[in-house]
Amino acid sequence: MTRVIERIRSQSEEHLEDLQDFLRIPSISADADSREAVQEAARWLSDRLEKMGASPEIVQTEGHPIVCGELPGPEDAPTLLVYGHYDVQPVDPLELWDSAPFEPEIREGAVFARGASDDKGQLLCHVFAAEALLAEQGALPVKLKFLFEGEEEVGSPSLKPFVLENLDRLSCDAVLVSDTSFYSREIPSLLYGLRGLAYVELRLRGPNRDLHSGEFGGAVANPADVLARMIASLHDENRRVNVPGFYDRVRPLEDSEREAFASLPFREEEYCRELGVEALEGEEAYTALEQLWARPTLEVNGMWSGFTGEGAKTVLPSEASAKLSMRLVPDQDPREIEDALEAHLRAIAPDSVKLEFIRHHGGNPFLAAPDNAFVRAARDSVSEAFGREPVMLRSGGSIPVVETFSTQLRSPVVLMGFGLPDDRLHSPNEKMDLDQFHKGIEACALFLNKAARVGSE
């Protein structure tokens, strides 16, 4: 593998230029005006797979395309499925970016652009690793399948049906996903758990038009005020979610997990300083890391109503809306949680407003055994590339399709990501640390080589 690693290092500038080309494509899956850009990103990936002989196919869906490819390996070698997503989050608020979100800029040892870490940079680590192995060895040590989607940021609505319809085509010995982060720059990590997600929208409608707040205020219900009261009631004084049944199926943390979390060098004051807040606020009786990784949440993602422009307009708005996300843990079910929330909201909504409850996307939580042969290969690969043994952690984030891979393909899922906690995912000034990017390519190449030995054990 020495020559493979040397090739990867010698091509660092080329890899960075290619990454920047990919980042310039504004593949925002949630934006209807970006549909062609998403198609362009799919074609870019397909062309890259074509150059390495991976026989790519762009599968059109009712939403955005899925890009598939396949590379042969030794007959008795294991088959690995590499998953990633090429779609990105919207860029708003644009004025908070220090550089244009789709004009990558190198500064502070990182590349800044939307999608740099989530997930274009991490996705390309696998592509570049396979290219290096093919260039130096003429063949891969494993059979490799690629599955790249363009809808992860909107809940992967097309991918699960595709997986279910193509179980034979996607069959594999293990799934490899790089869409996660290290605990810190100094402490590499692999993940064995992800929270699930339920995402909903709430709309309240009051009078049939906006009203003069002097002529009608005090007698007619203000939907914005009603919405604020309802949302405020969703947590109790201990920050527990105040929805009947919300915690009924929450699997408690194991003592060993609590001990592992507690052993990490988490300093609350430094965490607050980095976020620019004076103090943390979370569910009572749990540490911050337990709250972040292993407890369910209900959060407001957005609220809007009435007049928000410059100056004054004395108006009583006719409507008020909010978007809410709930991060879920084993063994919570997204549909059950949505049902419970809707029932609760309808029970507390006053007769003075009409309530509309809209269900968006979601996904099941994922929890795996933290040790199997492929996970051990990943641990060894990260350790060799980054110079330190990774710790095993859960994540507060969600990757909806991971649970589908685990249950439908019946294959272990290895979550080997290379992001950093300060990559500003989903926020302005998203970045990918260049050292993480280049070493991530090395780790992916090492993993393919070490995973080949799993099949011969």
Side-chain angles (χ1 to χ4, degrees), residues 296-329:
T297 66
L298 189 158
E299 301 288 353
V300 177
N301 299 137
M303 295 177 64
W304 62 99
S305 182
F307 177 70
T308 59
E310 186 177 354
K313 181 181 181 183
T314 53
V315 63
L316 191 158
S318 64
E319 297 184 4
S321 302
K323 293 189 178 183
L324 310 175
S325 66
M326 292 160 284
R327 299 289 175 166
L328 310 178
V329 300

PDB file of all heavy atoms in Angstrom, residues 296-329:
ATOM      1  N   PRO A 296     -34.028  11.860  22.789  1.00  0.00           N
ATOM      2  CA  PRO A 296     -34.862  12.460  21.740  1.00  0.00           C
ATOM      3  C   PRO A 296     -35.095  13.939  21.994  1.00  0.00           C
ATOM      4  O   PRO A 296     -35.011  14.415  23.127  1.00  0.00           O
ATOM      5  CB  PRO A 296     -36.166  11.669  21.849  1.00  0.00           C
ATOM      6  CG  PRO A 296     -36.231  11.256  23.294  1.00  0.00           C
ATOM      7  CD  PRO A 296     -34.808  11.015  23.712  1.00  0.00           C
ATOM      8  N   THR A 297     -35.369  14.667  20.916  1.00  0.00           N
ATOM      9  CA  THR A 297     -35.567  16.113  21.019  1.00  0.00           C
ATOM     10  C   THR A 297     -36.765  16.556  20.195  1.00  0.00           C
ATOM     11  O   THR A 297     -37.236  15.835  19.303  1.00  0.00           O
ATOM     12  CB  THR A 297     -34.332  16.881  20.512  1.00  0.00           C
ATOM     13  OG1 THR A 297     -34.192  16.649  19.102  1.00  0.00           O
ATOM     14  CG2 THR A 297     -33.064  16.456  21.232  1.00  0.00           C
ATOM     15  N   LEU A 298     -37.224  17.754  20.489  1.00  0.00           N
ATOM     16  CA  LEU A 298     -38.203  18.443  19.646  1.00  0.00           C
ATOM     17  C   LEU A 298     -37.714  19.876  19.528  1.00  0.00           C
ATOM     18  O   LEU A 298     -37.574  20.568  20.542  1.00  0.00           O
ATOM     19  CB  LEU A 298     -39.601  18.379  20.261  1.00  0.00           C
ATOM     20  CG  LEU A 298     -40.770  18.875  19.394  1.00  0.00           C
ATOM     21  CD1 LEU A 298     -42.083  18.286  19.879  1.00  0.00           C
ATOM     22  CD2 LEU A 298     -40.881  20.394  19.372  1.00  0.00           C
ATOM     23  N   GLU A 299     -37.442  20.313  18.306  1.00  0.00           N
ATOM     24  CA  GLU A 299     -36.869  21.640  18.081  1.00  0.00           C
ATOM     25  C   GLU A 299     -37.673  22.418  17.039  1.00  0.00           C
ATOM     26  O   GLU A 299     -38.195  21.840  16.077  1.00  0.00           O
ATOM     27  CB  GLU A 299     -35.426  21.534  17.579  1.00  0.00           C
ATOM     28  CG  GLU A 299     -34.481  20.799  18.522  1.00  0.00           C
ATOM     29  CD  GLU A 299     -34.141  21.586  19.766  1.00  0.00           C
ATOM     30  OE1 GLU A 299     -34.534  22.774  19.852  1.00  0.00           O
ATOM     31  OE2 GLU A 299     -33.486  21.021  20.657  1.00  0.00           O
ATOM     32  N   VAL A 300     -37.755  23.720  17.240  1.00  0.00           N
ATOM     33  CA  VAL A 300     -38.337  24.614  16.238  1.00  0.00           C
ATOM     34  C   VAL A 300     -37.257  24.963  15.222  1.00  0.00           C
ATOM     35  O   VAL A 300     -36.189  25.450  15.580  1.00  0.00           O
ATOM     36  CB  VAL A 300     -38.864  25.906  16.890  1.00  0.00           C
ATOM     37  CG1 VAL A 300     -39.403  26.857  15.812  1.00  0.00           C
ATOM     38  CG2 VAL A 300     -39.936  25.596  17.915  1.00  0.00           C
ATOM     39  N   ASN A 301     -37.526  24.690  13.953  1.00  0.00           N
ATOM     40  CA  ASN A 301     -36.579  25.026  12.886  1.00  0.00           C
ATOM     41  C   ASN A 301     -36.894  26.352  12.208  1.00  0.00           C
ATOM     42  O   ASN A 301     -36.033  26.930  11.529  1.00  0.00           O
ATOM     43  CB  ASN A 301     -36.547  23.925  11.834  1.00  0.00           C
ATOM     44  CG  ASN A 301     -36.105  22.586  12.402  1.00  0.00           C
ATOM     45  OD1 ASN A 301     -36.684  21.557  12.082  1.00  0.00           O
ATOM     46  ND2 ASN A 301     -35.098  22.578  13.245  1.00  0.00           N
ATOM     47  N   GLY A 302     -38.096  26.823  12.374  1.00  0.00           N
ATOM     48  CA  GLY A 302     -38.462  28.094  11.767  1.00  0.00           C
ATOM     49  C   GLY A 302     -39.862  28.508  12.192  1.00  0.00           C
ATOM     50  O   GLY A 302     -40.731  27.656  12.410  1.00  0.00           O
ATOM     51  N   MET A 303     -40.081  29.814  12.347  1.00  0.00           N
ATOM     52  CA  MET A 303     -41.403  30.366  12.655  1.00  0.00           C
ATOM     53  C   MET A 303     -41.594  31.639  11.837  1.00  0.00           C
ATOM     54  O   MET A 303     -40.649  32.412  11.675  1.00  0.00           O
ATOM     55  CB  MET A 303     -41.526  30.718  14.146  1.00  0.00           C
ATOM     56  CG  MET A 303     -41.463  29.540  15.087  1.00  0.00           C
ATOM     57  SD  MET A 303     -41.523  30.058  16.842  1.00  0.00           S
ATOM     58  CE  MET A 303     -43.148  30.798  16.938  1.00  0.00           C
ATOM     59  N   TRP A 304     -42.797  31.838  11.328  1.00  0.00           N
ATOM     60  CA  TRP A 304     -43.043  33.069  10.576  1.00  0.00           C
ATOM     61  C   TRP A 304     -44.525  33.440  10.645  1.00  0.00           C
ATOM     62  O   TRP A 304     -45.395  32.585  10.733  1.00  0.00           O
ATOM     63  CB  TRP A 304     -42.585  32.935   9.128  1.00  0.00           C
ATOM     64  CG  TRP A 304     -43.287  31.886   8.317  1.00  0.00           C
ATOM     65  CD1 TRP A 304     -44.313  32.072   7.441  1.00  0.00           C
ATOM     66  CD2 TRP A 304     -43.005  30.479   8.298  1.00  0.00           C
ATOM     67  NE1 TRP A 304     -44.692  30.879   6.873  1.00  0.00           N
ATOM     68  CE2 TRP A 304     -43.903  29.882   7.375  1.00  0.00           C
ATOM     69  CE3 TRP A 304     -42.093  29.657   8.956  1.00  0.00           C
ATOM     70  CZ2 TRP A 304     -43.905  28.510   7.114  1.00  0.00           C
ATOM     71  CZ3 TRP A 304     -42.095  28.305   8.700  1.00  0.00           C
ATOM     72  CH2 TRP A 304     -42.991  27.744   7.781  1.00  0.00           C
ATOM     73  N   SER A 305     -44.740  34.752  10.624  1.00  0.00           N
ATOM     74  CA  SER A 305     -46.107  35.263  10.657  1.00  0.00           C
ATOM     75  C   SER A 305     -46.081  36.781  10.521  1.00  0.00           C
ATOM     76  O   SER A 305     -45.121  37.431  10.940  1.00  0.00           O
ATOM     77  CB  SER A 305     -46.793  34.890  11.981  1.00  0.00           C
ATOM     78  OG  SER A 305     -48.123  35.341  12.009  1.00  0.00           O
ATOM     79  N   GLY A 306     -47.118  37.317   9.941  1.00  0.00           N
ATOM     80  CA  GLY A 306     -47.334  38.754   9.953  1.00  0.00           C
ATOM     81  C   GLY A 306     -46.282  39.574   9.243  1.00  0.00           C
ATOM     82  O   GLY A 306     -45.607  39.113   8.314  1.00  0.00           O
ATOM     83  N   PHE A 307     -46.107  40.798   9.681  1.00  0.00           N
ATOM     84  CA  PHE A 307     -45.228  41.766   9.032  1.00  0.00           C
ATOM     85  C   PHE A 307     -43.823  41.662   9.613  1.00  0.00           C
ATOM     86  O   PHE A 307     -43.628  41.753  10.832  1.00  0.00           O
ATOM     87  CB  PHE A 307     -45.769  43.178   9.237  1.00  0.00           C
ATOM     88  CG  PHE A 307     -44.878  44.241   8.661  1.00  0.00           C
ATOM     89  CD1 PHE A 307     -44.750  44.395   7.293  1.00  0.00           C
ATOM     90  CD2 PHE A 307     -44.154  45.081   9.493  1.00  0.00           C
ATOM     91  CE1 PHE A 307     -43.923  45.367   6.748  1.00  0.00           C
ATOM     92  CE2 PHE A 307     -43.327  46.067   8.970  1.00  0.00           C
ATOM     93  CZ  PHE A 307     -43.212  46.204   7.593  1.00  0.00           C
ATOM     94  N   THR A 308     -42.831  41.458   8.756  1.00  0.00           N
ATOM     95  CA  THR A 308     -41.438  41.356   9.204  1.00  0.00           C
ATOM     96  C   THR A 308     -40.528  42.299   8.429  1.00  0.00           C
ATOM     97  O   THR A 308     -39.300  42.179   8.494  1.00  0.00           O
ATOM     98  CB  THR A 308     -40.916  39.905   9.057  1.00  0.00           C
ATOM     99  OG1 THR A 308     -41.011  39.513   7.678  1.00  0.00           O
ATOM    100  CG2 THR A 308     -41.705  38.938   9.916  1.00  0.00           C
ATOM    101  N   GLY A 309     -41.099  43.228   7.680  1.00  0.00           N
ATOM    102  CA  GLY A 309     -40.296  44.151   6.890  1.00  0.00           C
ATOM    103  C   GLY A 309     -39.776  45.316   7.712  1.00  0.00           C
ATOM    104  O   GLY A 309     -39.990  45.410   8.928  1.00  0.00           O
ATOM    105  N   GLU A 310     -39.099  46.207   7.038  1.00  0.00           N
ATOM    106  CA  GLU A 310     -38.532  47.379   7.699  1.00  0.00           C
ATOM    107  C   GLU A 310     -39.642  48.329   8.141  1.00  0.00           C
ATOM    108  O   GLU A 310     -40.652  48.481   7.464  1.00  0.00           O
ATOM    109  CB  GLU A 310     -37.567  48.092   6.745  1.00  0.00           C
ATOM    110  CG  GLU A 310     -36.817  49.245   7.378  1.00  0.00           C
ATOM    111  CD  GLU A 310     -35.823  49.879   6.425  1.00  0.00           C
ATOM    112  OE1 GLU A 310     -35.644  49.330   5.308  1.00  0.00           O
ATOM    113  OE2 GLU A 310     -35.237  50.910   6.782  1.00  0.00           O
ATOM    114  N   GLY A 311     -39.439  48.968   9.286  1.00  0.00           N
ATOM    115  CA  GLY A 311     -40.416  49.919   9.774  1.00  0.00           C
ATOM    116  C   GLY A 311     -41.556  49.249  10.509  1.00  0.00           C
ATOM    117  O   GLY A 311     -41.418  48.131  11.016  1.00  0.00           O
ATOM    118  N   ALA A 312     -42.694  49.915  10.582  1.00  0.00           N
ATOM    119  CA  ALA A 312     -43.827  49.432  11.376  1.00  0.00           C
ATOM    120  C   ALA A 312     -45.060  49.224  10.504  1.00  0.00           C
ATOM    121  O   ALA A 312     -45.301  49.950   9.544  1.00  0.00           O
ATOM    122  CB  ALA A 312     -44.144  50.428  12.487  1.00  0.00           C
ATOM    123  N   LYS A 313     -45.825  48.204  10.861  1.00  0.00           N
ATOM    124  CA  LYS A 313     -47.120  47.963  10.238  1.00  0.00           C
ATOM    125  C   LYS A 313     -47.993  47.296  11.298  1.00  0.00           C
ATOM    126  O   LYS A 313     -47.742  46.156  11.687  1.00  0.00           O
ATOM    127  CB  LYS A 313     -46.987  47.051   9.011  1.00  0.00           C
ATOM    128  CG  LYS A 313     -48.316  46.787   8.301  1.00  0.00           C
ATOM    129  CD  LYS A 313     -48.129  45.853   7.116  1.00  0.00           C
ATOM    130  CE  LYS A 313     -49.444  45.607   6.398  1.00  0.00           C
ATOM    131  NZ  LYS A 313     -49.299  44.643   5.283  1.00  0.00           N
ATOM    132  N   THR A 314     -48.963  48.006  11.775  1.00  0.00           N
ATOM    133  CA  THR A 314     -49.772  47.516  12.888  1.00  0.00           C
ATOM    134  C   THR A 314     -50.825  46.552  12.371  1.00  0.00           C
ATOM    135  O   THR A 314     -51.965  46.914  12.068  1.00  0.00           O
ATOM    136  CB  THR A 314     -50.439  48.696  13.618  1.00  0.00           C
ATOM    137  OG1 THR A 314     -51.142  49.499  12.664  1.00  0.00           O
ATOM    138  CG2 THR A 314     -49.390  49.546  14.319  1.00  0.00           C
ATOM    139  N   VAL A 315     -50.431  45.277  12.292  1.00  0.00           N
ATOM    140  CA  VAL A 315     -51.276  44.271  11.674  1.00  0.00           C
ATOM    141  C   VAL A 315     -51.473  43.096  12.629  1.00  0.00           C
ATOM    142  O   VAL A 315     -50.574  42.731  13.390  1.00  0.00           O
ATOM    143  CB  VAL A 315     -50.656  43.789  10.336  1.00  0.00           C
ATOM    144  CG1 VAL A 315     -49.319  43.117  10.566  1.00  0.00           C
ATOM    145  CG2 VAL A 315     -51.596  42.865   9.593  1.00  0.00           C
ATOM    146  N   LEU A 316     -52.653  42.551  12.603  1.00  0.00           N
ATOM    147  CA  LEU A 316     -52.953  41.290  13.273  1.00  0.00           C
ATOM    148  C   LEU A 316     -52.963  40.224  12.188  1.00  0.00           C
ATOM    149  O   LEU A 316     -53.859  40.218  11.346  1.00  0.00           O
ATOM    150  CB  LEU A 316     -54.306  41.376  13.984  1.00  0.00           C
ATOM    151  CG  LEU A 316     -54.692  40.254  14.955  1.00  0.00           C
ATOM    152  CD1 LEU A 316     -55.749  40.753  15.940  1.00  0.00           C
ATOM    153  CD2 LEU A 316     -55.231  39.034  14.212  1.00  0.00           C
ATOM    154  N   PRO A 317     -51.944  39.343  12.128  1.00  0.00           N
ATOM    155  CA  PRO A 317     -51.815  38.425  10.993  1.00  0.00           C
ATOM    156  C   PRO A 317     -52.922  37.383  10.971  1.00  0.00           C
ATOM    157  O   PRO A 317     -53.429  36.964  12.013  1.00  0.00           O
ATOM    158  CB  PRO A 317     -50.450  37.771  11.224  1.00  0.00           C
ATOM    159  CG  PRO A 317     -50.221  37.873  12.688  1.00  0.00           C
ATOM    160  CD  PRO A 317     -50.852  39.167  13.106  1.00  0.00           C
ATOM    161  N   SER A 318     -53.241  36.969   9.770  1.00  0.00           N
ATOM    162  CA  SER A 318     -54.287  35.952   9.623  1.00  0.00           C
ATOM    163  C   SER A 318     -53.742  34.536   9.750  1.00  0.00           C
ATOM    164  O   SER A 318     -54.509  33.604   9.994  1.00  0.00           O
ATOM    165  CB  SER A 318     -54.979  36.105   8.260  1.00  0.00           C
ATOM    166  OG  SER A 318     -54.054  35.865   7.204  1.00  0.00           O
ATOM    167  N   GLU A 319     -52.428  34.361   9.598  1.00  0.00           N
ATOM    168  CA  GLU A 319     -51.827  33.024   9.655  1.00  0.00           C
ATOM    169  C   GLU A 319     -50.515  33.075  10.435  1.00  0.00           C
ATOM    170  O   GLU A 319     -49.866  34.122  10.533  1.00  0.00           O
ATOM    171  CB  GLU A 319     -51.544  32.486   8.245  1.00  0.00           C
ATOM    172  CG  GLU A 319     -52.770  32.282   7.388  1.00  0.00           C
ATOM    173  CD  GLU A 319     -52.418  31.649   6.045  1.00  0.00           C
ATOM    174  OE1 GLU A 319     -51.241  31.312   5.832  1.00  0.00           O
ATOM    175  OE2 GLU A 319     -53.337  31.493   5.224  1.00  0.00           O
ATOM    176  N   ALA A 320     -50.124  31.913  10.936  1.00  0.00           N
ATOM    177  CA  ALA A 320     -48.814  31.740  11.575  1.00  0.00           C
ATOM    178  C   ALA A 320     -48.375  30.305  11.343  1.00  0.00           C
ATOM    179  O   ALA A 320     -49.186  29.372  11.351  1.00  0.00           O
ATOM    180  CB  ALA A 320     -48.882  32.034  13.065  1.00  0.00           C
ATOM    181  N   SER A 321     -47.079  30.117  11.097  1.00  0.00           N
ATOM    182  CA  SER A 321     -46.571  28.788  10.751  1.00  0.00           C
ATOM    183  C   SER A 321     -45.257  28.506  11.473  1.00  0.00           C
ATOM    184  O   SER A 321     -44.529  29.421  11.868  1.00  0.00           O
ATOM    185  CB  SER A 321     -46.339  28.674   9.241  1.00  0.00           C
ATOM    186  OG  SER A 321     -47.530  28.917   8.517  1.00  0.00           O
ATOM    187  N   ALA A 322     -44.966  27.230  11.625  1.00  0.00           N
ATOM    188  CA  ALA A 322     -43.691  26.799  12.204  1.00  0.00           C
ATOM    189  C   ALA A 322     -43.322  25.459  11.613  1.00  0.00           C
ATOM    190  O   ALA A 322     -44.186  24.664  11.221  1.00  0.00           O
ATOM    191  CB  ALA A 322     -43.788  26.686  13.720  1.00  0.00           C
ATOM    192  N   LYS A 323     -42.017  25.226  11.537  1.00  0.00           N
ATOM    193  CA  LYS A 323     -41.497  23.923  11.154  1.00  0.00           C
ATOM    194  C   LYS A 323     -40.762  23.331  12.346  1.00  0.00           C
ATOM    195  O   LYS A 323     -39.972  24.012  12.999  1.00  0.00           O
ATOM    196  CB  LYS A 323     -40.581  24.043   9.931  1.00  0.00           C
ATOM    197  CG  LYS A 323     -41.339  24.444   8.669  1.00  0.00           C
ATOM    198  CD  LYS A 323     -40.492  24.354   7.409  1.00  0.00           C
ATOM    199  CE  LYS A 323     -41.325  24.713   6.179  1.00  0.00           C
ATOM    200  NZ  LYS A 323     -40.572  24.563   4.916  1.00  0.00           N
ATOM    201  N   LEU A 324     -41.052  22.060  12.614  1.00  0.00           N
ATOM    202  CA  LEU A 324     -40.521  21.387  13.785  1.00  0.00           C
ATOM    203  C   LEU A 324     -39.804  20.107  13.364  1.00  0.00           C
ATOM    204  O   LEU A 324     -40.269  19.376  12.483  1.00  0.00           O
ATOM    205  CB  LEU A 324     -41.645  21.016  14.760  1.00  0.00           C
ATOM    206  CG  LEU A 324     -42.643  22.102  15.149  1.00  0.00           C
ATOM    207  CD1 LEU A 324     -43.739  21.510  16.020  1.00  0.00           C
ATOM    208  CD2 LEU A 324     -41.950  23.235  15.864  1.00  0.00           C
ATOM    209  N   SER A 325     -38.672  19.842  13.998  1.00  0.00           N
ATOM    210  CA  SER A 325     -37.999  18.563  13.779  1.00  0.00           C
ATOM    211  C   SER A 325     -37.837  17.848  15.104  1.00  0.00           C
ATOM    212  O   SER A 325     -37.587  18.473  16.140  1.00  0.00           O
ATOM    213  CB  SER A 325     -36.629  18.761  13.116  1.00  0.00           C
ATOM    214  OG  SER A 325     -35.738  19.441  13.983  1.00  0.00           O
ATOM    215  N   MET A 326     -37.982  16.537  15.056  1.00  0.00           N
ATOM    216  CA  MET A 326     -37.782  15.699  16.235  1.00  0.00           C
ATOM    217  C   MET A 326     -36.716  14.673  15.925  1.00  0.00           C
ATOM    218  O   MET A 326     -36.843  13.905  14.965  1.00  0.00           O
ATOM    219  CB  MET A 326     -39.106  15.023  16.618  1.00  0.00           C
ATOM    220  CG  MET A 326     -40.153  16.002  17.122  1.00  0.00           C
ATOM    221  SD  MET A 326     -41.839  15.361  17.028  1.00  0.00           S
ATOM    222  CE  MET A 326     -42.165  15.505  15.260  1.00  0.00           C
ATOM    223  N   ARG A 327     -35.657  14.678  16.703  1.00  0.00           N
ATOM    224  CA  ARG A 327     -34.605  13.673  16.575  1.00  0.00           C
ATOM    225  C   ARG A 327     -34.943  12.529  17.521  1.00  0.00           C
ATOM    226  O   ARG A 327     -35.216  12.745  18.704  1.00  0.00           O
ATOM    227  CB  ARG A 327     -33.242  14.274  16.907  1.00  0.00           C
ATOM    228  CG  ARG A 327     -32.842  15.427  15.993  1.00  0.00           C
ATOM    229  CD  ARG A 327     -32.494  14.983  14.581  1.00  0.00           C
ATOM    230  NE  ARG A 327     -32.229  16.139  13.724  1.00  0.00           N
ATOM    231  CZ  ARG A 327     -31.649  16.065  12.527  1.00  0.00           C
ATOM    232  NH1 ARG A 327     -31.294  14.894  12.031  1.00  0.00           N
ATOM    233  NH2 ARG A 327     -31.436  17.152  11.812  1.00  0.00           N
ATOM    234  N   LEU A 328     -34.928  11.330  16.992  1.00  0.00           N
ATOM    235  CA  LEU A 328     -35.451  10.174  17.704  1.00  0.00           C
ATOM    236  C   LEU A 328     -34.357   9.151  17.977  1.00  0.00           C
ATOM    237  O   LEU A 328     -33.344   9.100  17.278  1.00  0.00           O
ATOM    238  CB  LEU A 328     -36.568   9.532  16.877  1.00  0.00           C
ATOM    239  CG  LEU A 328     -37.647  10.504  16.370  1.00  0.00           C
ATOM    240  CD1 LEU A 328     -38.662   9.760  15.524  1.00  0.00           C
ATOM    241  CD2 LEU A 328     -38.319  11.227  17.521  1.00  0.00           C
ATOM    242  N   VAL A 329     -34.577   8.347  19.002  1.00  0.00           N
ATOM    243  CA  VAL A 329     -33.590   7.348  19.406  1.00  0.00           C
ATOM    244  C   VAL A 329     -34.246   5.971  19.380  1.00  0.00           C
ATOM    245  O   VAL A 329     -35.472   5.851  19.355  1.00  0.00           O
ATOM    246  CB  VAL A 329     -33.030   7.665  20.804  1.00  0.00           C
ATOM    247  CG1 VAL A 329     -32.362   9.038  20.816  1.00  0.00           C
ATOM    248  CG2 VAL A 329     -34.126   7.603  21.864  1.00  0.00           C
TER     249      VAL A 329
END
